[in-house]
Amino acid sequence: MLLTVRQVGEINAHGSHPENRFGSQTGILKMLSPDFKKMNGLIPVIAQDAKSGEVLMLAYMNEESFKLTIETGEAVYFSRSRGKLWHKGESSGCVQKIKSIRIDCDDDTLVLLVEQVGGAACHTGRRSCFYRELKGDEIVECSPRIFDPAEVYGK
């Protein structure tokens, strides 16, 4: 069953969804439960543009960031380099509004279909973190720079 974030909110508010084929549940976390134990508490998460299908970034979530993502409707990741929760866009304003959440067959990877507010998903100021492409024997930039990171982050 594919659920939108609005449906997730309804489930959390009312305890079940009308299309719930799994019987009475007390919330979405019982229906969509990633296996955080497999990879020491973190799972990979692919953020993909909900309209175009463009892959924007790869990040990681722990159980707390997953729950916050469900509650807020915006992407919250776990920053491995900083060792803490990271609300995507907290510095740049380029938040990711969740349109849908997909889980893989092994329950250990998520795809977030998002609306990328502000246009840039990458800390380099580009639309996508996957901005370099091998074409023949050349590496070319294939994702536009939306903002100057020095101006946004002060680095």
Side-chain angles (χ1 to χ4, degrees):
M1 173 183 345
L2 181 64
L3 300 173
T4 66
V5 171
R6 190 179 86 212
Q7 289 169 320
V8 167
E10 290 171 6
I11 290 168
N12 284 334
H14 304 292
S16 65
H17 187 270
E19 296 174 19
N20 183 356
R21 290 175 253 164
F22 305 108
S24 178
Q25 299 284 340
T26 59
I28 189 63
L29 298 177
K30 289 189 179 183
M31 292 174 56
L32 184 71
S33 54
D35 187 351
F36 292 98
K37 292 180 179 79
K38 275 187 188 174
M39 295 175 15
N40 299 318
L42 296 177
I43 60 168
V45 180
I46 300 162
Q48 185 175 10
D49 185 277
K51 287 186 180 174
S52 72
E54 180 182 14
V55 174
L56 301 173
M57 60 182 280
L58 171 81
Y60 292 85
M61 282 186 179
N62 64 9
E63 194 166 358
E64 184 179 4
S65 63
F66 175 67
K67 288 177 182 177
L68 286 169
T69 297
I70 297 286
E71 289 172 16
T72 65
E74 293 184 352
V76 178
Y77 300 108
F78 182 83
S79 171
R80 295 175 302 156
S81 61
R82 292 177 275 183
K84 67 177 192 169
L85 295 178
W86 156 46
H87 181 190
K88 178 68 179 137
E90 65 192 5
S91 299
S92 67
C94 296
V95 299
Q96 294 176 336
K97 295 191 177 289
I98 308 300
K99 299 300 178 185
S100 180
I101 298 174
R102 296 180 181 179
I103 191 165
D104 78 331
C105 56
D106 295 320
D107 294 332
D108 60 6
T109 303
L110 296 176
V111 174
L112 303 181
L113 298 177
V114 303
E115 174 192 342
Q116 181 62 60
V117 175
C122 185
H123 73 282
T124 66
R126 290 180 175 80
R127 169 102 179 120
S128 171
C129 293
F130 298 94
Y131 65 90
R132 294 170 289 197
E133 181 177 7
L134 180 62
K135 284 197 168 186
D137 60 354
E138 267 187 343
I139 296 177
V140 297
E141 290 189 3
C142 59
S143 185
R145 178 166 271 162
I146 307 296
F147 66 79
D148 180 353
E151 291 178 16
V152 172
Y153 303 117
K155 294 179 183 177

